Amino acid sequence: MNRLGVHALVWTGGWSNEDCRVAVTSTKEAGFDFIEVPLLDPAAVDVAMTRKQLEAEGLGATCSLGLSFETDISSEDDEVSARGERLLTSAVEVSAGIGAPFLGGVLYSAMDKYRTPATPASWERCVEVLGRVAEVAAREGVTLGIEPVNRYESNLCNSARQALQMIDHIAADNVVVHLDCYHMNIEEGDLETPVLLAADRLGYVHVGESHRGYLGSGTVDFARFFRALARVGYQGPVAFESFSSQVISQEFCSALAVWRDPWTDNRALAVHARRFMQDQLVAAKRAV
Ligand code: MN
């Protein structure tokens, strides 16, 4: 069975000692195998404290982030791109430090709405930087995940096909495709083809509903998505993502465009999501 996880932002908007304790123990109590820790500001994460709390609960971890316009590695402004490279390098080090073998998300551009299309130069810049970051990550034992996101959150990589092309250009063994069915539901023709296309280069999965609330209450075709995962024999991690302004900070709400609250009780939400994902995995394995 795939390892199941939940994004820390389901539990807490920050990462103080107490935030970390609540997020880690709640993840464990809800029955998950790992927690996904956001590293939007890696320098703010207390590595030793986080590692200690994870070890105390016997819980695994992965990490994710989205760059900003100030740290956009695809920027043609040398200073901005270099700042992004430093942030990514630091995020790799923090991931390794807390014992997380994976760092995914929007590692390739700002996670924001662009007003112009990506240029060939911005693509080249991004590939160049990620090549160097992948070398650091390989030394640290960290795999990088390229997560295609919808057109309102990046102009550089919106589909599995583009993510695969980016990975081909980076040409490092420790860079994989990170698919999220919330974004796929907006950008892809269906939820099966991209999984078959990525096949053994798929390394991480985000499970989110069309409105990023309760799984099964929106329009995402989960049965088809999970059957595709079973068909390619996907054994990797599967993490639940859902966001509500009840929990996350104003900054996160702005970055992720969370203007409504799909839920108020995060425990009930998380327990339901774990059950839902497990049921889908079991049903899909039987079906293929
Ligand atoms: Mn995602």
Side-chain angles (χ1 to χ4, degrees):
M1 181 63 93
N2 306 69
R3 284 159 62 76
L4 298 180
V6 60
H7 199 289
L9 288 181
V10 164
W11 308 114
T12 174
W15 205 250
S16 66
N17 229 314
E18 180 60 8
D19 286 331
C20 176
R21 193 191 61 75
V22 167
V24 166
T25 54
S26 303
T27 298
K28 186 75 181 180
E29 279 163 18
F32 289 97
D33 306 305
F34 69 93
I35 184 168
E36 182 175 318
V37 181
L39 297 184
L40 290 126
D41 182 9
V45 173
D46 183 335
V47 172
M49 176 277 288
T50 303
R51 187 176 192 116
K52 204 171 145 201
Q53 301 228 31
L54 288 166
E55 283 174 356
E57 289 292 335
L59 192 70
T62 59
C63 294
S64 63
L65 65 85
L67 296 172
S68 67
F69 283 129
E70 286 71 44
T71 55
D72 179 0
I73 60 163
S74 75
S75 169
E76 291 174 50
D77 181 324
D78 292 345
E79 207 173 296
V80 172
S81 184
R83 205 181 295 138
E85 184 168 350
R86 285 197 296 276
L87 187 144
L88 288 178
T89 305
S90 156
V92 164
E93 286 160 358
V94 170
S95 300
I98 68 167
F102 175 85
L103 170 66
V106 188
L107 309 180
Y108 47 82
S109 76
M111 185 175 73
D112 212 323
K113 184 167 186 318
Y114 287 75
R115 297 272 166 187
T116 52
T119 63
S122 62
W123 176 275
E124 286 307 319
R125 178 58 73 91
C126 155
V127 165
E128 215 178 277
V129 173
L130 283 176
R132 290 193 293 271
V133 174
E135 276 177 38
V136 178
R139 285 200 294 276
E140 298 279 358
V142 173
T143 295
L144 302 180
I146 303 297
E147 180 182 19
V149 293
N150 70 73
R151 65 193 69 188
Y152 309 107
E153 296 184 30
S154 175
N155 64 353
L156 202 64
C157 182
N158 305 133
S159 69
R161 194 174 286 281
Q162 287 175 308
L164 285 163
Q165 194 180 18
M166 190 177 285
I167 289 165
D168 280 343
H169 289 189
I170 297 166
D173 291 339
N174 61 326
V175 185
V176 297
V177 181
H178 165 184
L179 288 181
D180 180 328
C181 48
Y182 160 76
H183 297 290
M184 293 167 71
N185 189 51
I186 297 171
E187 298 296 342
E188 308 275 6
D190 64 72
L191 298 196
E192 180 179 19
T193 311
V195 174
L196 303 186
L197 204 62
D200 57 357
R201 287 194 286 172
L202 179 61
Y204 200 75
V205 166
H206 271 166
V207 173
E209 189 48 278
S210 50
H211 46 47
R212 293 196 137 167
Y214 264 79
L215 298 181
S217 69
T219 62
V220 168
D221 187 355
F222 287 111
R224 192 160 184 204
F225 179 67
F226 277 93
R227 270 205 305 275
L229 293 180
R231 272 186 68 188
V232 300
Y234 178 70
Q235 309 261 314
V238 176
F240 171 58
E241 268 195 322
S242 181
F243 306 105
S244 169
S245 66
Q246 296 274 334
V247 174
I248 63 179
S249 66
Q250 193 52 54
E251 192 191 346
F252 278 129
C253 285
S254 300
L256 299 166
V258 178
W259 315 129
R260 292 174 294 158
D261 295 331
W263 43 264
T264 50
D265 183 345
N266 48 13
R267 277 164 208 283
L269 171 91
V271 166
H272 172 271
R274 205 200 71 84
R275 186 68 209 226
F276 186 94
M277 296 193 295
Q278 183 167 300
D279 289 350
Q280 289 284 341
L281 285 165
V282 170
K285 283 203 174 102
R286 276 205 204 101
V288 299

